[in-house]
Amino acid sequence: MVSVTRVHNLENVLSSHDINEWLMNTGLESHTVEVIGNGVNWLLAEQQSPKAHKVHDTDFVRHGLQIVEIMLELSMDDESLIAALLYPYYGPQATDKKLKEKITNKFGSSTLALLDSVRKMANLGLLSSRIKHSAAQAEKIRRMLTAMVEDVRAVVIKLSQQVVYLRDIKSGDEETRVLAAKETQTIFAPLANRLGIGQLKWELEDYSFRYLQPTVYKNIASSLEEKRADRQQYLEDFVNSLSEKMTDIGVEAVVYGRPKHIYSIYKKMQKKDYDFSQLFDIRAVRVVTHKLQDCYGALGVIHTNWRHIPSEFDDYVATPKPNGYQSIHTVIIGPHGKPIEIQIRTQEMHEEAELGVAAHWQYKESDSKNKHVKMSSYEEKIAWLRKLLQWQEEMADTNDFAEELHNQVVEDRVYVFTPDGDVVDLPSGSTPLDFAYYVHTNVGHRCIGAKVFNRIVPFTYQLKTGDQIEIITGKEPNPKRDWLNPNLDYVHSSRARAKIQTWFKQQDKDKNIVEGKQMVEHELNRLDIDWSETSHAVVRFNMNSLDDLLAAIGAGDVRLYQVINYIESKATNQPKPEIDPRLIQKPRKKSKKNQNGVVLHGVGNLMNQLAGCCNPIMGDDIVGYITQGRGVVIHRSDCEQFKIVMDEHPERFIEASWAEQYSGGFVANVKIFANDRSGLLRDITTILANDKVNVLAMSTDSDVNNQVVTMGLKLEVYNLSAFNRVLDKISQVEEVMKVKRS
């Protein structure tokens, strides 16, 4: 963590108004002392004015100096330091024009611009709540991104300020700590990691972890504290031994033990299901060399003298992490059989790992021959920020933009190669179509196929890190409506989905009506619902006519399954006698608790069984009907048979819901109507096998004269969404005309 050592006695210093002498005693360079001293004295004088923002005189100064302290560790320039010092005072009064004039006159217009950029950065917190954004909120996020691109120093100041805020609320109320921790864990810590500022990332993560899981945090911290003395002596002896061995063969390096961050310990324990005693890297050593070749020389010394664990070796020098991090990681079995993690890197790699984008400001005006090397990682990060800003203009709505920004900030990515060897990073779960739309909108629209390592793959193929992908394009744009179906997994990213929706919106309304009608007819046929039932949905979705609704569905403005689910709930089917025992499934042997995965509200564990007339599945809205002698029969809430019996005996109604922890299966019957062809059954069963759906029974009825086949399947499914996904995939099989739940 960043240590707090310079401002603990600030109250006494300020009361004596001897700030420059105190700053000089901290070991800072004279020009930095002068800059900060002038800023502190201006703040103290400003606080005395009658219209000043009334807070205790030293509060703003103390907060500002704490941010400056962190910025000094990041080797930031003087302009950044003065902006960091002033921000706690300026932030709450950012709309005060007179204050802006004072700051401009005293510190310059560039300092004011940097302060405004930091102020805009506060809008990052909007994403942490993951609420539905208004257009105004989206505009704030856009301005925040613009600020990030214009001056990345604003990001560093904001992240440093967030660290200070987390420190200050240590003794605050629990709600404040939890909200701040969630915001930090969702946005600020991943952003620090994405920009490579490891020094801030670690402290942000540790504080968030401390506030969100205090018990676990304290347990790990106490385990570290109990073994601190022994561990320090052990590391000191090992460091001395390793330093001597490297000196003997002429490898110049600084070797030292390093503290292990508590959140990283927790993540390792969770990832590998270890307890504290099993961790390899509680004892950690870092080797910092002057030259690249010395990194591998040091590695040779280490592996020659101590046995290493092959599975724990990573060479991030040869293959850097996406955020630019480079280092060699190895774990060896040290003296007395104790594991030690060792990181080996050059001084430049160390600065990049600790400071990220902040490391590049000291090189910005440099004339050194290696300037282009030092700036390359910085330019990549700036390009990433500009890419986010560009995507904001492409999002179909603000919700998609918020989701895409969240996906881009949080490190859950895959990294693939273009045919030319360029690296492209995409959200985890992306498909070839996501990649195509990333390359260019027109490439996505004209995409007709994809190759991974010269092998044709389906559009639903999930890209893996290291894949080399080539997109096959046609002459004319021809996106498919099915690409927007979430159950078919053609696209994963909000960006690609927005581009497809935009393309369909640009087609004329008549075509959208035809497309929308085809989509609705297909689903209604599958569910065996009459077309006349569509009239129910016109008013529900605030449309003037059925054509308007179909056009909206065809254009992608209204989701197809929202409309179908509503129509299905209003549809009327032929009644079936509830008393016929053949309609009731025989109860399977289950534990009394949550029998059949159903919770009955307001009563104990009554016997219940699923109705055969509607075959409810996990995810369906369900209700219960109390029978005489057969317990409670569970129906779908839209079951017509249930409505009939409830008209006669309303007093037998009971509320029911699905148990959250239930993992059993449900029986669902499916009818498939298709043109008969060779391999049809194989294609259908392949889909069922891939989705791990258990087939309880199967029947086929072929009409040889008309070359038509009807299949009946009895499936064991686990929830409604998985069942619908299987039906959608079967409906895409060649020659299948209709699929419906029976």
Side-chain angles (χ1 to χ4, degrees):
M1 288 187 181
V2 180
S3 59
V4 183
T5 57
R6 296 174 180 162
V7 295
H8 64 281
N9 61 342
L10 183 62
E11 297 284 348
N12 295 334
V13 173
L14 292 178
S15 63
S16 65
H17 297 284
D18 197 7
I19 187 67
N20 282 357
E21 181 179 349
W22 177 80
L23 287 169
M24 192 68 73
N25 290 334
T26 63
L28 300 176
E29 296 183 13
S30 57
H31 67 87
T32 303
V33 170
E34 183 179 357
V35 168
I36 298 176
N38 288 340
V40 171
N41 290 326
W42 181 84
L43 281 173
L44 292 175
E46 180 67 18
Q47 279 284 289
Q48 304 306 315
S49 65
K51 295 183 180 180
H53 195 76
K54 290 302 177 184
V55 175
H56 190 274
D57 283 358
T58 61
D59 280 356
F60 288 130
V61 180
R62 178 171 57 82
H63 291 161
L65 282 174
Q66 286 177 334
I67 302 174
V68 168
E69 179 182 42
I70 297 174
M71 301 284 285
L72 287 170
E73 298 287 340
L74 299 172
S75 304
M76 297 299 288
D77 60 299
D78 287 349
E79 192 170 75
S80 301
L81 296 177
I82 196 64
L85 177 67
L86 299 179
Y87 180 69
Y89 180 70
Y90 175 79
Q93 309 176 82
T95 58
D96 188 335
K97 293 182 179 179
K98 289 186 177 180
L99 178 60
K100 289 176 178 285
E101 291 176 3
K102 290 180 181 179
I103 291 175
T104 301
N105 293 335
K106 177 68 176 178
F107 303 104
S109 58
S110 57
T111 299
L112 179 64
L114 185 54
L115 282 168
D116 283 331
S117 293
V118 180
R119 175 67 177 168
K120 292 175 185 177
M121 280 291 300
N123 292 320
L124 267 174
L126 291 172
L127 290 179
S128 61
S129 61
R130 308 297 296 143
I131 60 176
K132 188 174 183 178
H133 295 290
S134 65
Q137 288 173 320
E139 174 61 19
K140 289 179 181 179
I141 297 174
R142 188 194 66 79
R143 291 202 306 269
M144 174 272 296
L145 288 174
T146 304
M148 292 170 72
V149 173
E150 288 175 351
D151 197 336
V152 182
R153 292 178 298 174
V155 186
V156 181
I157 297 173
K158 176 56 188 172
L159 293 175
S160 302
Q161 185 264 335
Q162 189 72 9
V163 170
V164 172
Y165 177 62
L166 291 172
R167 291 174 180 172
D168 282 351
I169 62 173
K170 187 187 303 183
S171 57
D173 61 273
E174 183 179 3
E175 182 179 3
T176 300
R177 292 198 305 269
V178 169
L179 287 175
K182 286 183 177 178
E183 179 183 77
T184 301
Q185 196 174 67
T186 303
I187 296 297
F188 292 111
L191 182 62
N193 184 46
R194 193 79 160 97
L195 297 177
I197 315 176
Q199 190 162 317
L200 295 182
K201 165 187 172 283
W202 295 325
E203 188 162 5
L204 291 167
E205 287 180 338
D206 272 10
Y207 271 117
S208 299
F209 179 47
R210 178 176 184 171
Y211 295 153
L212 292 175
Q213 300 189 57
T215 303
V216 181
Y217 178 93
K218 289 176 182 177
N219 288 340
I220 297 175
S222 62
S223 296
L224 286 171
E225 189 64 35
E226 289 170 1
K227 303 179 180 182
R228 182 182 296 275
D230 293 339
R231 192 171 65 254
Q232 285 181 340
Q233 183 60 51
Y234 181 88
L235 283 178
E236 185 177 333
D237 294 341
F238 179 80
V239 165
N240 291 336
S241 174
L242 178 57
S243 297
E244 290 175 3
K245 287 178 168 55
M246 287 196 295
T247 301
D248 290 343
I249 66 166
V251 174
E252 296 183 12
V254 176
V255 185
Y256 59 94
R258 64 181 182 87
K260 189 65 180 174
H261 299 280
I262 292 177
Y263 184 65
S264 65
I265 293 175
Y266 171 75
K267 285 199 300 184
K268 183 68 70 69
M269 292 169 65
Q270 292 295 107
K271 181 180 179 181
K272 300 198 173 184
D273 196 24
Y274 285 169
D275 59 33
F276 186 84
S277 62
Q278 294 176 289
L279 293 178
F280 292 134
D281 49 1
I282 299 303
R283 303 167 191 85
V285 169
R286 183 169 288 151
V287 177
V288 181
T289 69
H290 298 293
K291 296 179 292 185
L292 176 61
Q293 55 266 39
D294 284 343
C295 289
Y296 291 97
L299 180 66
V301 172
I302 294 166
H303 283 186
T304 300
N305 288 275
W306 293 279
R307 181 169 60 87
H308 76 285
I309 302 174
S311 62
E312 299 295 323
F313 176 79
D314 291 294
D315 188 351
Y316 296 118
V317 173
T319 54
K321 288 187 177 182
N323 64 0
Y325 176 86
Q326 288 184 287
S327 189
I328 299 173
H329 292 194
T330 188
V331 175
I332 58 101
I333 303 300
H336 312 299
K338 295 180 179 181
I340 304 173
E341 183 198 51
I342 304 177
Q343 294 181 358
I344 310 169
R345 59 177 68 153
T346 64
Q347 183 62 36
E348 289 184 7
M349 294 173 190
H350 178 66
E351 291 175 359
E352 172 72 23
E354 296 296 300
L355 310 180
V357 291
H360 299 280
W361 287 101
Q362 56 187 300
Y363 303 119
K364 202 170 184 185
E365 304 300 329
S366 172
D367 293 327
S368 71
K369 297 179 181 179
N370 294 325
K371 177 181 176 182
H372 67 284
V373 176
K374 298 178 184 294
M375 292 297 291
S376 60
S377 177
Y378 170 78
E379 295 295 346
E380 288 176 4
K381 293 177 176 69
I382 295 301
W384 169 73
L385 292 172
R386 289 194 177 117
K387 180 174 64 178
L388 279 181
L389 185 58
Q390 174 190 348
W391 287 357
Q392 190 269 342
E393 305 296 338
E394 299 170 346
M395 292 295 103
D397 58 60
T398 56
N399 294 325
D400 284 346
F401 171 56
E403 179 186 344
E404 190 65 32
L405 179 55
H406 177 77
N407 288 338
Q408 289 295 320
V409 170
V410 177
E411 286 289 320
D412 189 11
R413 320 284 297 164
V414 293
Y415 300 86
V416 297
F417 295 93
T418 67
D420 295 332
D422 296 328
V423 178
V424 173
D425 65 307
L426 298 166
S428 179
S430 291
T431 66
L433 282 173
D434 290 307
F435 174 86
Y437 278 105
Y438 174 94
V439 173
H440 195 276
T441 302
N442 204 35
V443 174
H445 288 342
R446 295 190 297 115
C447 180
I448 59 174
K451 293 181 180 179
V452 172
F453 295 119
N454 292 319
R455 179 175 58 86
I456 295 289
V457 295
F459 282 158
T460 55
Y461 172 83
Q462 286 198 359
L463 300 176
K464 302 178 181 64
T465 295
D467 283 348
Q468 184 178 60
I469 182 167
E470 177 186 355
I471 298 299
I472 305 169
T473 58
K475 292 183 179 180
E476 299 294 333
N478 190 29
K480 307 296 183 186
R481 298 281 176 181
D482 288 336
W483 293 358
L484 294 173
N485 189 329
N487 289 331
L488 298 179
D489 299 326
Y490 283 121
V491 292
H492 175 77
S493 67
S494 301
R495 183 192 184 203
R497 190 175 298 110
K499 287 176 176 289
I500 298 168
Q501 289 172 342
T502 301
W503 190 88
F504 283 114
K505 284 181 182 179
Q506 292 171 350
Q507 310 307 302
D508 55 68
K509 183 178 179 179
D510 290 341
K511 185 175 180 179
N512 287 336
I513 291 174
V514 173
E515 295 280 357
K517 185 175 182 180
Q518 290 176 351
M519 296 166 70
V520 173
E521 282 182 337
H522 173 76
E523 293 300 320
L524 293 182
N525 287 337
R526 181 166 66 83
L527 296 169
D528 199 20
I529 297 175
D530 189 80
W531 175 261
S532 62
E533 301 292 342
T534 55
S535 60
H536 295 298
V538 174
V539 177
R540 165 65 178 79
F541 289 91
N542 300 316
M543 297 293 173
N544 295 323
S545 66
L546 180 58
D547 280 352
D548 288 342
L549 177 60
L550 296 176
I553 295 172
D557 294 333
V558 174
R559 296 186 184 277
L560 171 65
Y561 285 101
Q562 288 181 331
V563 177
I564 296 301
N565 289 339
Y566 182 77
I567 293 173
E568 186 180 11
S569 69
K570 295 293 184 181
T572 303
N573 299 319
Q574 290 296 320
K576 300 175 184 178
E578 195 268 342
I579 58 173
D580 187 342
R582 292 175 298 174
L583 297 179
I584 307 298
Q585 295 180 6
K586 293 182 180 180
R588 285 167 284 176
K589 291 183 179 180
K590 304 267 181 194
S591 62
K592 274 192 171 183
K593 188 176 180 181
N594 301 334
Q595 186 183 15
N596 290 315
V598 173
V599 175
L600 301 174
H601 295 243
V603 297
N605 292 320
L606 292 181
M607 180 180 72
N608 66 75
Q609 44 195 309
L610 304 179
C613 53
C614 56
N615 284 318
I617 297 173
M618 173 79 79
D620 286 329
D621 289 333
I622 55 174
V623 289
Y625 176 75
I626 303 174
T627 65
Q628 293 182 349
R630 289 182 287 111
V632 179
V633 178
I634 305 301
H635 294 262
R636 285 164 52 187
S637 60
D638 59 350
C639 174
E640 288 302 316
Q641 189 59 44
F642 174 75
K643 294 177 182 178
I644 293 172
V645 296
M646 282 305 299
D647 287 341
E648 298 176 4
H649 302 286
E651 73 282 358
R652 297 189 182 185
F653 168 80
I654 185 171
E655 291 186 8
S657 62
W658 298 108
E660 293 183 4
Q661 302 300 322
Y662 183 71
S663 59
F666 302 85
V667 174
N669 296 314
V670 177
K671 285 283 188 181
I672 303 172
F673 304 90
N675 294 319
D676 203 359
R677 66 168 174 86
S678 176
L680 177 63
L681 183 60
R682 178 202 61 210
D683 293 345
I684 292 173
T685 54
T686 298
I687 290 174
L688 298 174
N690 289 342
D691 281 48
K692 298 180 174 60
V693 176
N694 188 24
V695 180
L696 302 178
M698 175 182 289
S699 63
T700 60
D701 183 12
S702 298
D703 184 343
V704 178
N705 294 329
N706 295 317
Q707 289 294 296
V708 174
V709 63
T710 302
M711 293 186 187
L713 302 176
K714 180 183 281 189
L715 307 178
E716 183 179 35
V717 296
Y718 291 86
N719 58 67
L720 185 61
S721 61
F723 179 57
N724 285 336
R725 182 167 61 249
V726 169
L727 295 189
D728 283 330
K729 289 182 178 180
I730 293 176
S731 68
Q732 298 293 307
V733 173
E734 184 182 356
E735 301 297 348
V736 169
M737 297 181 292
K738 184 166 67 171
V739 182
K740 71 175 185 177
R741 180 178 174 183
S742 59

